[in-house]
Amino acid sequence: MLKKRIIPCLDMKGGRVVKGVCFESLRDAGDPVESAALYDRMGADELCFLDIGASVENRGTLFEIVEKTASRVFLPLTVGGGIRSVDEIRRALNSGADKVSLNSAALLNPGLLTEGALRFGSQCIVLAVDVKREGSSWRVYSHGGTRPTPRDAIEWIVEGVRAGAGEILLTSMDRDGTGEGYDLDLIRTVSRSVDVPLIASGGAGSKEDFLSVFEAGADAALAASLFHFGTVDLRDLRRTLFERGAPVRPPFDLLKEPFP
Amino acid sequence: MGRPRSVVIDYGMGNIHSVSKALEAVGHEVATADTPEQWEAFDPTHLVLPGVGAFGEGISRLEKAGWAPILRKWIADDRPFLGICLGMQLLFGESHEFGTHRGLEIFPGAVVPFDPTKGKVPQIGWNEVRRCATHPLWDGLPEAPDLYFVHSYRVQTSNGAIVLGETDYQGTYPSFVGRSRVAAMQFHPEKSQRAGLRFLKNFGAL
């Protein structure tokens, strides 16, 4: 059976993890490679690097970090934040990323999804969408959630999949950072509208939130500060989900086991 | 026996960095080669064909760079070979991804798409690979380890004897095949943490 995935996200700016990962064995909370290695051993199913600075001059730094991470963390990596061209997608993949997430660049030019999918396969093209609720629908925002667009979330996601996206990373801006739980209504609606995998993001505050979002139809659940601040321990989360019958990989703790 | 000297074939189909690093992590000496000349200079004991992306593009790049006859001979000589993801699919007879393409025809069978009306496509994530035959690559692994998959097409074969492991997604399909020292896997061992690395380590001992 295909398992539901737990994905810690490392938000980065200038090559450092924003907020920082709090864990007693981690000497440098801002080091993305060390943080990724720790999450790998604690039981992540996949990792996401998001460059929220997204400045062009930092792009090289981002790819270097991906390369260093992929040299010692043997786990799927998704990279996003400011990637604008097929050449940048290629560089990210060559650095060791398995998937690239596109957000503002895809809104500006949906053809980028198609070009990327034709060249590298849609399995590595993730469409990241930031949305805010307006009445009974959701509006898409661009540029890290700072600019409203005229687009409706469901329409844009359907169009993005048709253009070539192989997965959706969907963030509820209403819930992001609140710890009030994922927007289940949103997840249900999007999950019914497309036939590609869906990663839910924004709002995770407890272990129960993961159970509910998987039941609502998400194939994967992403969280950042929840894990960084130690509110929820990844090992403990996996154990709880597994014991409560959620379709996740069984508990393991590589911190206690020899490599490989 | 010395360290395995493995060549990872770089034919422009995706990420070879992760495969190389994972092989190194379990004791392989690794070189990447984008031409057969580079391959000869390294004198490998093991050959790895990775790859993600479209079948037609993959096979035409292999043919163009002159890899196809080398691979056929290497495999016919039963030297240690590992195909990963697209590198597995290319070993089969044909594919219907964007038109019909002939593969390397090492194994009988075809590459067919998952059906988006029966479940989400691509299959992305961890799924079990159930052992259905003994093979040295299975050494030290559980009966049904979880491994990482990301693909929209799968193989089907009429030759059950080559199926070493199978996976359930829209029905049961072969996710790990091989005979003797030639093996191929649909999942990504280089992205499958401990279990994946164990396969790569076992491959080095072939």
Side-chain angles (χ1 to χ4, degrees):
Chain A
M1 181 188 33
L2 182 64
K3 309 298 193 300
K4 303 281 187 180
R5 290 166 279 151
I6 305 165
I7 309 179
C9 180
L10 296 162
D11 292 330
M12 289 192 295
K13 208 169 189 174
R16 302 279 297 166
V17 179
V18 180
K19 290 183 252 184
V21 173
C22 302
F23 196 74
E24 71 267 15
S25 72
L26 198 62
R27 267 176 301 184
D28 180 357
D31 181 337
V33 182
E34 290 298 325
S35 305
L38 175 71
Y39 283 145
D40 169 50
R41 304 189 74 189
M42 287 175 79
D45 290 311
E46 204 174 298
L47 292 168
C48 183
F49 281 152
L50 207 57
D51 186 3
I52 60 171
S55 60
V56 179
E57 55 274 21
N58 278 336
R59 205 58 40 74
T61 317
L62 176 67
F63 296 145
E64 268 170 45
I65 289 166
V66 172
E67 193 168 325
K68 278 191 199 142
T69 307
S71 300
R72 48 184 285 211
V73 174
F74 302 107
L75 200 64
L77 302 175
T78 298
V79 176
I83 292 176
R84 289 179 183 86
S85 64
V86 168
D87 187 55
E88 286 181 335
I89 298 175
R90 187 186 55 78
R91 283 179 63 200
L93 297 176
N94 285 348
S95 308
D98 299 276
K99 299 186 274 183
V100 171
S101 93
L102 303 171
N103 191 332
S104 304
L107 281 163
L108 214 60
N109 169 25
L112 183 59
L113 297 167
T114 314
E115 284 175 60
L118 284 175
R119 178 67 189 87
F120 310 106
S122 43
Q123 84 289 332
C124 66
I125 305 296
V126 181
L127 175 62
V129 187
D130 297 332
V131 306
K132 210 180 236 182
R133 185 188 276 275
E134 277 182 17
S136 58
S137 61
W138 293 267
R139 181 187 292 279
V140 177
Y141 280 66
S142 73
H143 296 82
T146 57
R147 296 188 204 168
T149 74
R151 289 181 180 273
D152 168 75
I154 309 300
E155 280 171 25
W156 168 230
I157 289 167
V158 169
E159 183 186 334
V161 170
R162 211 171 286 145
E167 192 169 41
I168 304 297
L169 166 53
L170 179 60
T171 302
S172 158
M173 294 167 55
D174 305 300
R175 296 299 176 90
D176 205 20
T178 65
E180 288 171 5
Y182 295 97
D183 184 341
L184 302 180
D185 213 18
L186 172 67
I187 295 304
R188 268 186 220 106
T189 311
V190 172
S191 181
R192 274 198 301 264
S193 312
V194 288
D195 50 25
V196 300
L198 172 62
I199 305 171
S201 155
S206 71
K207 292 186 274 186
E208 281 67 29
D209 293 336
F210 287 81
L211 278 173
S212 335
V213 82
F214 290 151
E215 278 167 17
D219 300 279
L222 179 140
S225 45
L226 176 80
F227 296 132
H228 302 343
F229 297 152
T231 317
V232 166
D233 181 298
L234 260 172
R235 295 164 294 181
D236 190 31
L237 171 63
R238 180 176 300 287
R239 199 175 312 116
T240 305
L241 295 178
F242 187 76
E243 280 165 4
R244 292 178 59 177
V248 294
R249 284 200 291 162
F252 60 94
D253 184 356
L254 297 180
L255 286 173
K256 290 188 184 143
E257 293 181 34
F259 180 85
Chain B
M1 210 173 89
R3 272 175 89 187
R5 294 165 54 78
S6 299
V7 155
V8 178
I9 298 178
D10 182 2
Y11 58 121
M13 296 305 285
N15 168 15
I16 57 163
H17 174 78
S18 305
V19 177
S20 304
K21 291 297 168 186
L23 287 164
E24 280 172 8
V26 291
H28 292 245
E29 193 181 329
V30 180
T32 60
D34 49 23
T35 65
E37 290 72 34
Q38 290 172 346
W39 163 78
E40 273 174 7
F42 187 71
D43 186 25
T45 57
H46 290 60
L47 206 51
V48 179
L49 182 66
V52 293
F55 190 99
E57 177 84 7
I59 196 72
S60 91
R61 281 170 179 261
L62 276 186
E63 302 273 5
K64 219 175 284 168
W67 284 111
I70 290 170
L71 289 172
R72 285 199 184 91
K73 168 130 181 35
W74 182 279
I75 291 170
D77 292 345
D78 193 31
R79 301 183 71 184
F81 174 90
L82 184 65
I84 299 171
C85 196
L86 179 61
M88 170 197 193
Q89 298 181 352
L90 291 170
L91 302 183
F92 285 80
E94 61 176 20
S95 161
H96 302 288
E97 183 175 1
F98 305 121
T100 298
H101 307 275
R102 306 302 302 171
L104 291 168
E105 300 181 287
I106 308 290
F107 297 131
V111 181
V112 297
F114 283 125
D115 180 353
T117 65
K118 288 188 190 158
K120 295 186 178 181
V121 182
Q123 174 181 219
I124 298 182
W126 297 80
N127 202 340
E128 286 140 61
V129 176
R130 270 191 315 275
R131 186 188 307 205
C132 41
T134 53
H135 189 276
L137 252 63
W138 275 115
D139 283 357
L141 281 145
E143 283 297 311
D146 283 304
L147 294 146
Y148 191 81
F149 289 84
V150 45
H151 62 128
S152 305
Y153 287 73
R154 62 176 184 85
V155 302
Q156 59 183 24
T157 180
S158 53
N159 184 0
I162 62 165
V163 180
L164 305 177
E166 54 188 23
T167 295
D168 296 330
Y169 194 72
Q170 298 190 5
T172 300
Y173 69 95
S175 49
F176 178 26
V177 299
R179 58 169 187 239
S180 193
R181 300 207 285 174
V182 174
M185 38 194 57
Q186 180 63 64
F187 51 88
H188 288 271
E190 78 281 12
K191 292 292 171 177
S192 296
Q193 291 181 317
R194 207 171 27 144
L197 293 176
R198 185 62 204 234
F199 275 112
L200 296 179
K201 192 176 175 186
N202 292 343
F203 172 61
L206 280 184

